[in-house]
Amino acid sequence: MPGSARDRPLHRVLEAHRVIPIAPAGERRDGSGTATASEGAQVDERTDACASGESFALMVLGDSMLPEFAEGEIIVVEPEGLATDGSFVLAWSNDEWIFRQLVRVAQGWKLSPLNPRHPDIELADLSAVRGVIIQKSTPGRRRQSKRYVE
């Protein structure tokens, strides 16, 4: 059937499902360095459409969540998902979007990368958490999918 998702290139299918690539911590999408506070407002505008309870997809960039999440994999984010200790989350921290594992610590919470070469980010509360990762998939590999919620 012409025009179906099967006939379109993968990047067009992903655009139709509102994929918003997220740059690794401290790096803009164009790789030119740390995003500024004024650019944070631009990021908010791009994600306003995803502010409702509707799930959306993102492409993993960088190596901070290896070995569980490789660059190029697609993650599905549930904005109204329940964030608990050990959940993989999308958060707004230090004027940038970040994808990490949420970990409970004595003085509150931290966003922890799976790759030990990247630093933890301390959180006073969960207000920075904007969604919970509920699934990941490898583009082009229909059967390579993993769910993170029951």
Side-chain angles (χ1 to χ4, degrees), residues 63-119:
D63 67 351
S64 64
M65 293 301 285
L66 284 174
E68 181 68 22
F69 298 91
E71 183 161 354
E73 289 183 324
I74 303 300
I75 55 175
V76 178
V77 180
E78 175 65 43
E80 295 181 354
L82 178 62
T84 60
D85 185 28
S87 295
F88 296 110
V89 299
L90 177 67
W92 181 254
S93 176
N94 301 322
D95 294 326
E96 64 184 357
W97 290 106
I98 192 161
F99 162 47
R100 294 286 191 266
Q101 186 171 34
L102 184 64
V103 178
R104 181 93 168 145
V105 292
Q107 61 277 24
W109 298 89
K110 69 178 180 176
L111 297 172
S112 181
L114 298 180
N115 184 338
R117 294 184 309 163
H118 296 270

